[in-house]
Amino acid sequence: KKPKLSYVLCSDPHLLPWREKYFLENEITFMLVLYLAPTRYHFRKIPRERLVHLPWCVPDQFISSDPVMNRGQETICCFGGSKSAAYELRNWCKGFPFVSASSNSGVENKLFTDEEYYAWLRGHDAIIAAGSEDPVYRLTTPKYFEIPASGALLFAQKTDDLDALGFRHRENCIVFTRDTFEGQAHEYLEDPGQYIRIREAGRELIRQRHALSVRLDFLEEHIRRNMPHV
């Protein structure tokens, strides 16, 4: 019997817990996971070496090449769904007077086509990516990649996968917690022009490490490396 190489893609690990048992019982070789730390939190029986971190990415054509500039906006944008415990920190951020809240969401309230969405992102100086502090939901969602790809400053809620993904505080984004958010926001709004370099570095991080072409190359190389010799 020839050895087989098989993959399954797993999205939000807090949903459909039967997937761990299915993976193990069916002897699937690798699980491609969008979120590494949360998957390990929920699927504790799967050996680490069988989890392949395949995070969200941005189609190459949507990574902005426009000059990064300060538009003089006096608020920080925060958008996305709100009708779940997975969004408790996001909803908390939306309550500040210096935050402009939008109901635009990829799931609950989708307003744009893909092209329109990235054009909308490019119209902002700074945008918040946040969900929940609960480890059950602490996901590094698509917004973490889409926001810097547009050239906007990413205000990134701290998650367990951030370091592995290359997000660095004050290097290519602003990493915040509930305790630091307000102070960091005021510091930014006092002199947003000083954050252009960070915004440029954030976009370059996406271009170099989180473009769709980069993901496809990684997956192809992984398959080739693990393909059984016959």
Side-chain angles (χ1 to χ4, degrees):
K1 185 178 179 180
K2 294 181 180 179
K4 294 181 179 179
L5 176 66
S6 54
Y7 292 81
V8 64
L9 178 65
C10 177
S11 57
D12 299 14
H14 59 279
L15 303 174
L16 308 175
W18 57 264
R19 290 178 294 180
E20 179 179 43
K21 182 179 179 182
Y22 177 88
F23 176 84
L24 293 170
E25 288 185 348
N26 287 275
E27 300 181 348
I28 298 171
T29 317
F30 295 109
M31 178 179 284
L32 302 172
V33 299
L34 296 173
Y35 313 106
L36 181 57
T39 301
R40 297 186 70 188
Y41 177 86
H42 288 279
F43 295 168
R44 302 184 185 189
K45 295 180 182 178
I46 299 177
R48 168 64 184 90
E49 62 270 16
R50 294 175 66 186
L51 298 176
V52 179
H53 197 190
L54 194 76
W56 289 100
C57 59
V58 176
D60 296 56
Q61 69 270 27
F62 292 139
I63 301 175
S64 175
S65 57
D66 297 339
V68 175
M69 63 182 67
N70 173 32
R71 300 172 182 81
Q73 296 171 354
E74 297 181 351
T75 58
I76 302 170
C77 177
C78 187
F79 70 98
S82 59
K83 301 175 183 177
S84 166
Y87 307 137
E88 52 88 12
L89 187 65
R90 177 188 301 169
N91 292 336
W92 177 81
C93 290
K94 288 181 178 180
F96 285 91
F98 54 79
V99 172
S100 56
S102 170
S103 61
N104 172 39
S105 167
V107 178
E108 286 183 11
N109 186 36
K110 189 174 177 64
L111 301 179
F112 303 125
T113 64
D114 290 345
E115 291 79 6
E116 292 169 340
Y117 171 62
Y118 280 96
W120 179 78
L121 290 177
R122 290 196 298 273
H124 293 84
D125 285 334
I127 309 176
I128 298 163
S132 171
E133 292 174 305
D134 189 329
V136 171
Y137 305 113
R138 202 157 55 216
L139 310 178
T140 310
T141 58
K143 291 180 179 62
Y144 284 78
F145 306 89
E146 297 161 350
I147 292 167
S150 74
L153 177 66
L154 169 65
F155 269 80
Q157 173 203 338
K158 184 174 178 58
T159 70
D160 301 310
D161 285 337
L162 274 190
D163 286 344
L165 294 168
F167 291 99
R168 303 284 185 267
H169 178 56
R170 299 196 67 86
E171 179 180 321
N172 50 40
C173 65
I174 300 299
V175 179
F176 73 90
T177 65
R178 191 183 297 265
D179 293 334
T180 65
F181 172 69
E182 186 172 7
Q184 289 170 328
H186 282 304
E187 183 179 350
Y188 160 73
L189 290 169
E190 287 173 2
D191 194 0
Q194 295 298 314
Y195 290 75
I196 297 295
R197 179 190 59 78
I198 297 175
R199 292 167 60 180
E200 291 173 338
R203 184 171 63 181
E204 191 60 22
L205 171 69
I206 303 305
R207 194 187 312 278
Q208 295 296 325
R209 291 189 54 180
H210 302 301
L212 176 58
S213 58
V214 175
R215 284 291 178 278
L216 293 176
D217 288 344
F218 167 81
L219 184 57
E220 180 180 8
E221 194 278 332
H222 192 277
I223 292 171
R224 291 182 183 279
R225 189 171 69 248
N226 290 279
M227 184 71 73
H229 297 289
V230 294

